[in-house]
Amino acid sequence: MADVHSKEVRSYNMSQIKGKNTKPEMLVRRYLHAQGFRYGLHNKKLPGKPDLVLRKYKTVIFVHGCFWHGHEGCKYFTIPKTRTEWWRQKIKRNKELDSQHIKALKSNNWHVIVIYQCEIKKDRREKTFENLLSHFSSIANV
Ligand SMILES: [Zn+2]
């Protein structure tokens, strides 16, 4: 694990902490919209308040920050060197909540898609969106 955050990584992490309407989420929304999908946003009635809700496909999408949601093995997830233990607990808790929410959704027959923000980075975006589309076409064909 890298000892020091590069400036780029640090500002990227900080930008994620703000939450709603973050840029990667906007990219996912714009893409799906352009493909003709319609969705609701930040549905408070569903566990974990999913970022996108596509009722027609019984699918919810979370767009997760790699840092905030502790994306294992991802270069954007490194625990800060100060208040390390506090961050460790904080992110552990976030991950626990995430999996509880996903479990609850799945037990209500929702399809749950989690997209990490690193998967929306330029070099990986196309692949991610392809996978997303194949999810919807696989449901539509059932
Ligand atoms: Zn990541």
Side-chain angles (χ1 to χ4, degrees):
M1 201 166 282
D3 226 345
V4 203
H5 276 160
S6 75
K7 208 172 174 187
E8 182 218 4
V9 169
R10 196 174 337 153
S11 67
Y12 179 75
N13 284 341
M14 285 303 140
S15 73
Q16 292 183 26
I17 293 175
K18 287 176 217 147
K20 260 187 214 176
N21 299 328
T22 51
K23 194 171 166 249
E25 186 191 322
M26 292 307 293
L27 287 167
V28 174
R29 280 160 62 174
R30 219 176 299 149
Y31 174 76
L32 285 177
H33 196 270
Q35 297 290 322
F37 291 95
R38 296 300 176 258
Y39 44 77
L41 297 174
H42 308 293
N43 190 320
K44 291 191 186 69
K45 287 181 191 148
L46 291 173
K49 234 196 299 165
D51 296 309
L52 282 79
V53 181
L54 294 95
R55 289 196 177 275
K56 191 174 161 189
Y57 297 91
K58 195 77 177 158
T59 296
V60 300
I61 302 176
F62 291 99
V63 183
H64 275 171
C66 299
F67 173 70
W68 209 229
H69 294 270
H71 191 195
E72 293 299 337
C74 173
K75 71 168 175 173
Y76 297 107
F77 172 51
T78 51
I79 297 279
K81 289 288 154 188
T82 54
R83 306 183 71 196
T84 302
E85 199 43 39
W86 184 85
W87 280 111
R88 209 183 290 285
Q89 291 305 322
K90 180 94 188 149
I91 287 164
K92 185 170 165 241
R93 181 74 188 131
N94 286 346
K95 291 184 74 166
E96 284 166 2
L97 286 173
D98 287 343
S99 54
Q100 282 170 23
H101 294 147
I102 290 171
K103 230 174 153 182
L105 285 160
K106 283 187 171 168
S107 67
N108 280 308
N109 298 316
W110 285 94
H111 300 278
V112 181
I113 295 177
V114 176
I115 300 175
Y116 285 96
Q117 296 194 328
C118 64
E119 297 174 301
I120 302 296
K121 287 268 180 190
K122 242 190 185 128
D123 53 332
R124 296 176 63 189
R125 196 179 300 159
E126 200 176 327
K127 187 77 203 141
T128 302
F129 286 165
E130 259 174 41
N131 291 340
L132 199 52
L133 277 195
S134 61
H135 165 79
F136 290 116
S137 53
S138 73
I139 292 181
N141 291 333
V142 170

